[in-house]
Amino acid sequence: MCGIAGFWDFSRSPNRDEMTRRVDRMTSSLIHRGPDAGGVWLDAEAGIALGHRRLSILDLSADGSQPMLSRCRRYVISFNGEVYNFRVLREQLAAAGHTFRGTSDTEVMLAAISEWGVDGALERFNGMFAFALWDARNRQLHLARDRAGEKPLYYGLQKGALVFGSELKALRAHPDFEAGIDREALALYLRHSYIPAPHTIYKGVYKLPAGAVVTISASGSMTPPRPYWSLRETAERGIAEPFTGSATEATSQLESLLRDAVRLRMQADVPLGAFLSGGVDSSTVVALMQAQSTRRVQTFTIGFNESSYNEAEPASLVAKHLGTDHTELYITPADAMAVIPRLASIYDEPFADSSQIPTVLLSELTRKHVTVGLSGDGGDELFGGYTRYLWAQEIWRSTGWAPQPIKKLVAMALARVPVEQCDNVFEHLNRWLPAHVRQRHAGAKLHKLASLLEAASPEAIYLELVSQWSDPVSTAVGAHEPLTIMNNPDQWLASGDFVQRMMYADMATYLPDDILVKMDRASMSVGLEARVPLLDHRLIEFAWRMPQSLKIRGGQGKWLLRQVLDKYVPKSLIDRPKMGFGVPIDRWLRGPLREWAEELLDEKRLRDEGFFQPLSIRGKWAEHVAGTKNCQDALWSILVFQAWLDESKKSQPAEAGEVACIA
């Protein structure tokens, strides 16, 4: 796990010393991703510079240093991530006559590319990665990203240079970077609280989509990103050719794949552990880790004293049952709020999933003990775990037949119920209700239900469920919202039922652009490598072949995954309402964060900056403070943008550090 950065100056105007200073400046902004070492490779005649910051995980010696030159001297790579099946590939390549000086996966990647070509190698890699590969013979630069989008890669043309890197701050460190804010991306951000690929907050700067390669030639021409693996094709093929065995056979096959995916991700020459929330996904990962480990697995959880946000207690019970070496840390509101000023720097572009706060705190706790942590992300998208899958389908079944005027009247009545009043009622009721029907944020859910009732199609219900601002262009000044998978049903799966189409949309956008971004930036901000076994591409392909009846059963998601977990952990420790991983932003905005928010949402400031319409924002703020509505998500997206805007105005690239320069 590392940070990569570089540029290709097509004018070839900078001299060697200036090129070194520029790429050194870019990689120095990524030291948090790779605190152990740094390196630079240059071809001054071609104008190409590759930089690298290293977090040493495998082959801690100098033989694993990057950028790395291939044995044939045709290729140079700067690589972030891990290729987990590199040992198997190494054996195949050795049989074909390749020799190796070290034991790193990077060296195996270069040999694989030399032997099978870029696409042939990518098809064989099982891992999480983003890399820049210079082909000296063809004078081409290839940028590539893993299938699920676990590792980030940004790129764009700035004046006469292509710039690229693991984070936007590396691109901003290049002296030619002058990109302005993209108002189309701003509209997407307001809707989702993140910016979906290929967009970024900057004009002319892009995220490389998951599972894709882009190739740049010496003339500066750039191919459109081309997929070497397609989630859509995988999903549609799985639906067309479903698994036909029994539930017992499906459980056995899933367990076998999971065990191998976990085993591969336990390879490390440094201390390794896992995040444990006590939910289905993380508990499954930890159970399979412990089953294959000769020592007690180190697990980590943070807790909150607010019971509705606290995952520490169930996690502790699971850890005790599995016999892990468990560490938990209870966080105060002051601890959590202290993270907020750092979010703009950590996430680098506006990103407003408030669970980023506990994710940063969990990463900091984990990094004190280990260098690698396994995560349970991906289970909801693969096995139908989100409650919105059940909600959306049931709402459409129950209301789709009703005339629009009637649905509008009911929606208006529900929207008039004050949020705080509804929350207070359920706070008392929850003491007496069975665990599976207790409601958290009942008022916000009631208001969300009101907005869903007016939807004219299943796709409209889904879009409303995933939207923070239902009409972002009315709030973002001068914005036009581009078409994405989320707002364009033509980009949905051509086959499958409503739930399958929602799961596909989530996996294509929400997973790589929210969930994985949240984990990557939080973990890498402290030099922690996070690995995600459930996103092994073999598991993704297997999950899409599973009938929905094996994913969602009896009103509960992840049925098949639970069958595997039941072999290791009693149901009584797992069966409880889905909690999520959040903090009480709604209450904080009415209390300790109110002054901070008031300053960022000042009407004159909003008008002078010219990005947002002040009246709609001030209206939501007034409703939220009064407790008549819970507008935390919509307001949080504005507040995070405002804080990011402040940070981007004052931040300056870090001073260049010392790196090894290889040519």
Side-chain angles (χ1 to χ4, degrees):
M1 185 74 71
C2 307
I4 68 173
F7 62 87
W8 191 354
D9 192 311
F10 302 111
S11 70
R12 300 172 178 81
S13 55
N15 60 37
R16 185 178 183 84
D17 289 342
E18 178 58 25
M19 288 179 68
T20 301
R21 280 193 293 271
R22 289 182 179 185
V23 71
D24 186 12
R25 196 174 179 185
M26 295 174 76
T27 56
S28 292
S29 72
L30 302 175
I31 285 177
H32 54 283
R33 297 186 73 94
D36 295 332
V40 167
W41 180 91
L42 303 173
D43 183 335
E45 183 180 344
I48 188 84
L50 302 183
H52 190 264
R53 289 300 316 181
R54 186 182 184 191
L55 176 63
S56 302
I57 303 294
L58 291 166
D59 190 351
L60 309 185
S61 73
D63 288 334
S65 297
Q66 295 186 51
M68 186 179 289
L69 185 67
S70 66
R71 284 277 186 174
C72 64
R73 306 191 70 79
R74 174 179 174 179
Y75 299 106
V76 185
I77 196 170
S78 185
F79 156 59
N80 167 32
E82 305 286 351
V83 171
Y84 301 115
N85 63 336
F86 77 98
R87 289 191 170 92
V88 171
L89 296 177
R90 180 184 173 117
E91 291 176 4
Q92 296 172 5
L93 291 162
H98 290 266
T99 58
F100 301 90
R101 62 179 176 271
T103 59
S104 73
D105 54 347
T106 312
E107 192 176 4
V108 173
M109 291 174 71
L110 283 167
I113 292 166
S114 300
E115 180 71 21
W116 298 309
V118 174
D119 284 10
L122 284 167
E123 290 168 3
R124 290 168 169 83
F125 292 160
N126 180 344
M128 58 174 187
F129 52 82
F131 65 75
L133 178 81
W134 171 243
D135 181 342
R137 187 172 75 188
N138 292 338
R139 312 306 267 181
Q140 290 181 324
L141 180 70
H142 302 283
L143 305 177
R145 194 175 177 206
D146 65 73
R147 294 171 178 86
E150 293 182 56
K151 293 294 103 190
L153 188 53
Y154 295 87
Y155 67 100
L157 291 170
Q158 296 289 301
K159 294 184 179 179
L162 173 89
V163 290
F164 57 89
S166 297
E167 296 181 17
L168 285 171
K169 56 175 63 73
L171 278 64
R172 290 198 303 266
H174 191 279
D176 288 341
F177 189 88
E178 291 183 350
I181 290 176
D182 186 337
R183 291 181 186 257
E184 291 191 356
L186 187 57
L188 290 172
Y189 166 71
L190 287 189
R191 182 175 294 282
H192 302 295
S193 76
Y194 61 87
I195 300 173
H199 306 278
T200 73
I201 194 61
Y202 296 117
K203 294 177 183 177
V205 178
Y206 305 98
K207 299 181 181 83
L208 183 63
V213 183
V214 65
T215 300
I216 304 95
S217 67
S219 64
S221 64
M222 192 183 311
T223 66
R226 54 184 174 83
Y228 64 87
W229 182 86
S230 168
L231 175 62
R232 181 167 187 160
E233 289 178 5
T234 296
E236 292 183 340
R237 184 170 57 249
I239 293 169
E241 302 170 5
F243 179 82
T244 57
S246 67
T248 301
E249 291 170 330
T251 302
S252 177
Q253 289 190 31
L254 176 58
E255 182 179 11
S256 178
L257 281 170
L258 281 168
R259 286 181 70 94
D260 193 55
V262 168
R263 177 188 63 82
L264 287 174
R265 284 155 183 80
M266 291 174 69
Q267 301 174 106
D269 296 331
V270 292
L272 174 144
F275 309 126
L276 180 61
S277 70
V280 173
D281 304 335
S282 65
S283 296
T284 302
V285 169
V286 170
L288 294 174
M289 289 178 71
Q290 192 60 72
Q292 300 178 88
S293 178
T294 57
R295 63 183 68 179
R296 294 172 69 191
V297 171
Q298 296 188 71
T299 53
F300 304 91
T301 304
I302 61 169
F304 292 90
N305 290 317
E306 295 97 331
S307 60
S308 59
Y309 292 89
N310 186 30
E311 295 184 323
E313 290 181 9
S316 177
L317 294 173
V318 172
K320 184 176 181 180
H321 175 79
L322 293 173
T324 70
D325 181 5
H326 191 58
T327 300
E328 66 179 24
L329 177 67
Y330 272 77
I331 302 298
T332 68
D335 295 327
M337 286 185 285
V339 173
I340 292 174
R342 297 191 282 131
L343 293 177
S345 175
I346 291 172
Y347 284 89
D348 218 21
E349 73 174 341
F351 180 82
D353 180 338
S354 61
S355 62
Q356 62 199 132
I357 297 171
T359 305
V360 169
L361 292 166
L362 177 60
S363 297
E364 290 175 346
L365 168 66
T366 304
R367 186 61 178 93
K368 292 176 181 178
H369 303 268
V370 299
T371 311
V372 177
L374 271 63
S375 161
D377 289 327
D380 289 307
E381 291 82 2
L382 285 175
F383 296 99
Y386 290 127
T387 54
R388 62 172 168 261
Y389 300 146
L390 301 173
W391 259 53
Q393 185 170 245
E394 189 55 39
I395 289 169
W396 182 247
R397 283 176 182 168
S398 303
T399 67
W401 56 271
Q404 204 67 19
I406 293 177
K407 292 198 291 185
K408 188 169 185 176
L409 285 172
V410 175
M412 289 172 62
L414 293 176
R416 288 195 181 103
V417 178
V419 166
E420 280 194 325
Q421 181 179 323
C422 188
D423 285 346
N424 289 336
V425 169
F426 269 89
E427 212 169 289
H428 293 292
L429 284 177
N430 282 340
R431 301 174 189 174
W432 312 104
L433 292 173
H436 67 282
V437 296
R438 291 173 189 160
Q439 291 297 322
R440 175 181 163 199
H441 301 315
K445 290 177 181 176
L446 188 68
H447 282 206
K448 177 62 83 171
L449 175 60
S451 66
L452 297 175
L453 289 177
E454 297 186 63
S457 68
E459 291 80 8
I461 288 177
Y462 173 74
L463 182 61
E464 181 63 31
L465 276 170
V466 299
S467 297
Q468 311 306 329
W469 289 81
S470 299
D471 185 17
V473 296
S474 68
T475 300
V477 175
H480 167 73
E481 186 175 4
L483 290 177
T484 66
I485 290 174
M486 293 294 200
N487 61 18
N488 181 12
D490 290 341
Q491 294 186 39
W492 285 36
L493 290 179
S495 57
D497 61 21
F498 181 29
V499 172
Q500 288 170 317
R501 298 199 304 275
M502 285 191 288
M503 290 170 63
Y504 166 74
D506 277 343
M507 189 151 196
T509 54
Y510 179 63
L511 178 66
D513 296 323
D514 184 311
I515 300 298
L516 296 178
V517 167
K518 176 177 62 181
M519 178 55 72
D520 175 80
R521 302 307 187 279
S523 59
M524 292 309 297
S525 72
V526 292
L528 173 72
E529 173 168 307
R531 298 177 175 178
V532 192
L534 292 175
L535 294 183
D536 187 303
H537 71 276
R538 298 169 300 166
L539 276 166
I540 296 173
E541 291 164 357
F542 174 83
W544 276 106
R545 293 184 59 227
M546 292 298 103
Q548 286 299 87
S549 61
L550 294 183
K551 296 180 180 179
I552 301 174
R553 183 176 291 192
Q556 189 177 56
K558 296 191 275 199
W559 183 85
L560 187 60
L561 197 57
R562 292 171 189 271
Q563 304 315 297
V564 174
L565 181 57
D566 286 349
K567 297 183 178 182
Y568 300 89
V569 178
K571 288 183 180 181
S572 59
L573 298 185
I574 301 296
D575 283 346
R576 63 184 187 279
K578 189 174 179 63
M579 184 177 290
F581 194 40
V583 289
I585 291 290
D586 55 337
R587 296 204 294 271
W588 292 354
L589 289 177
R590 297 186 187 102
L593 290 179
R594 183 168 176 173
E595 185 177 346
W596 171 76
E598 283 280 12
E599 181 180 346
L600 293 175
L601 301 181
D602 176 75
E603 184 173 344
K604 183 180 184 301
R605 172 179 175 158
L606 291 170
R607 185 170 285 109
D608 290 346
E609 289 169 343
F611 291 107
F612 302 121
Q613 298 286 358
L615 292 182
S616 60
I617 293 171
R618 294 300 302 182
K620 282 189 182 293
W621 177 239
E623 289 177 323
H624 186 85
V625 170
T628 56
K629 287 188 177 180
N630 183 351
C631 303
Q632 69 169 41
D633 293 329
L635 291 169
W636 187 246
S637 64
I638 302 294
L639 290 165
V640 166
F641 177 86
Q642 293 293 93
W644 171 84
L645 193 62
D646 279 351
E647 179 70 20
S648 65
K649 289 175 183 176
K650 68 183 181 182
S651 62
Q652 296 294 328
E655 291 298 318
E658 293 184 4
V659 297
C661 184
I662 55 176

